[in-house]
């Protein structure tokens, strides 16, 4: 059955805008689980722009579904993952100046380094997923380095300017799924998925989990706003605060 991993990075982004304690991504994770999230995803970036190490440690203690730690393939992150022991790790490329993860990991161009990283994590019983573009050579490379999972980058599909381009990108995702399955890789997918474009990706053969963040947190801000304003009016009257 297809599962949903909720990415809570954007809750932390809002907190870090004021460097204060709210909104707390750990509380957000709990609420997401109560609403049916099958897993929680958090990306500890090298520049710590949203999720902090404190969050990862608390999430490890509180998440009741599964914790997917997204991280760059660096020695610093490897040490953190080995200490925290998330349920799985998704290796992503990271550039300091990017707004979000822009492209997939170049597994084919970094075979040796990634093979070692995958080995170190999987030897510690932490399955590894590689976030890659839907390209044959990257899928082949993911199988070569013996990662358990790939996460197909759905950004090009999500950002396609026309319906025709989108259909073409969906075709590429479909072919990637077929190839990955034939190589024994398990498949997740994510990035840029919204309430409008998720269904076709959800129907892709063999995809086990979708990791979705921005669209869910964006919607949460809007569907929660009326209640938040009402509660502030009550607080101003000295009546029950939330
Ligand atoms: N999967 C990976 C590997 C990501 O880096 C991200 C973004 O942090 C997502 C999924 C979620 O993307 P979005 O926030 O666009 O739903």
């Amino acid at each position: 059955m297809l599962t949903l991993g909720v990415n809570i990075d954007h809750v932390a982004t809002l907190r870090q805008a004021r460097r204060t304690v709210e909104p707390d991504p750990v509380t957000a994770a709990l609420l997401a689980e109560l609403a049916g999230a099958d897993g929680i995803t958090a990306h500890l970036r090298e520049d710590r722009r949203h999720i902090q190490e404190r969050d990862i440690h608390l999430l490890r203690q509180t998440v009741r579904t599964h914790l997917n730690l997204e991280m760059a393939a660096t020695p610093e992150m490897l040490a953190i993952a080995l200490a925290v022991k998330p349920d799985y790790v998704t290796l992503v490329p990271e550039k300091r100046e990017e707004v979000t993860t822009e492209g997939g990991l170049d597994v084919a161009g970094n075979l040796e380094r990634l093979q070692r990283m995958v080995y170190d994590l999987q030897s510690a019983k932490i399955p590894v997923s590689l976030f890659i573009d839907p390209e044959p050579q990257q899928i082949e490379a993911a199988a070569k380095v013996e990662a358990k999972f790939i996460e197909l980058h759905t950004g090009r599909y999500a950002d396609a300017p026309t319906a025709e381009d989108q259909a073409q990108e969906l075709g590429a995702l479909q072919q990637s799924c077929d190839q990955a399955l034939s190589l024994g890789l398990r498949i997740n997918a994510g990035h840029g998925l919204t309430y409008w474009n998720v269904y076709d990706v959800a129907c892709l053969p063999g995809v086990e989990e979708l990791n979705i963040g921005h669209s869910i947190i964006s919607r949460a801000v809007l569907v929660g706003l009326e209640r938040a304003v009402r509660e502030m009016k009550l607080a101003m009257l000295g009546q029950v605060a939330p």
Side-chain angles (χ1 to χ4, degrees):
M1 209 186 90
L2 182 65
T3 59
L4 170 64
V6 174
N7 181 316
I8 53 167
D9 294 350
H10 294 289
V11 178
T13 300
L14 197 53
R15 177 190 62 189
Q16 295 311 110
R18 285 287 176 94
R19 292 197 167 53
T20 178
V21 294
E22 66 171 6
D24 186 357
V26 180
T27 309
L30 174 70
L31 292 174
E33 285 185 320
L34 287 172
D38 304 289
I40 298 297
T41 296
H43 184 177
L44 183 65
R45 292 185 79 103
E46 194 189 4
D47 63 11
R48 307 293 195 271
R49 72 172 73 153
H50 40 56
I51 294 291
Q52 307 294 305
E53 272 175 76
R54 165 264 185 208
D55 303 328
I56 296 295
H57 288 285
L58 283 176
L59 287 168
R60 175 64 299 178
Q61 291 169 43
T62 55
V63 164
R64 287 287 164 264
T65 52
H66 59 254
L67 177 62
N68 168 24
L69 174 61
E70 271 182 29
M71 59 179 228
T74 64
E76 183 207 8
M77 289 300 155
L78 174 63
I80 292 172
L82 292 176
V84 170
K85 287 198 178 294
D87 296 290
Y88 68 94
V89 154
T90 301
L91 295 179
V92 299
E94 235 179 67
K95 290 193 219 110
R96 265 180 189 268
E97 60 285 3
E98 70 192 355
V99 176
T100 179
T101 315
E102 280 165 4
L105 203 56
D106 181 11
V107 186
N110 293 278
L111 271 181
E112 245 175 60
R113 193 167 65 86
L114 288 172
Q115 191 154 36
R116 214 171 318 121
M117 190 76 162
V118 169
Y119 177 82
D120 287 346
L121 288 162
Q122 292 190 161
S123 301
K125 297 197 164 40
I126 304 170
V128 176
S129 178
L130 300 175
F131 185 53
I132 55 175
D133 290 317
E135 290 167 5
Q137 72 277 18
Q138 297 299 347
I139 294 160
E140 215 169 279
K144 248 187 217 154
V145 302
E146 296 183 9
K148 289 265 184 305
F149 290 84
I150 55 167
E151 178 172 333
L152 287 173
H153 194 322
T154 50
R156 286 208 302 247
Y157 159 82
D159 296 338
T162 66
E164 235 177 40
D165 291 334
Q166 195 168 52
Q168 199 173 326
E169 294 299 339
L170 189 66
L173 288 165
Q174 247 148 9
Q175 282 178 10
S176 295
C177 288
D178 292 340
Q179 186 190 357
L181 288 173
S182 74
L183 291 169
L185 289 161
R186 297 176 68 180
I187 311 168
N188 298 332
H191 209 284
L193 296 177
T194 67
Y195 294 83
W196 295 273
N197 66 19
V198 71
Y199 184 66
D200 284 340
V201 173
C203 293
L204 287 170
V207 173
E208 295 186 32
E209 182 153 281
L210 299 181
N211 283 309
I212 306 181
H214 189 260
S215 194
I216 293 174
I217 303 307
S218 301
R219 192 169 184 87
V221 169
L222 293 188
V223 300
L225 191 58
E226 285 180 48
R227 176 172 165 188
V229 171
R230 254 184 254 118
E231 288 179 354
M232 181 56 82
K233 295 282 285 193
L234 287 175
M236 286 163 62
L237 295 169
Q239 296 177 13
V240 262

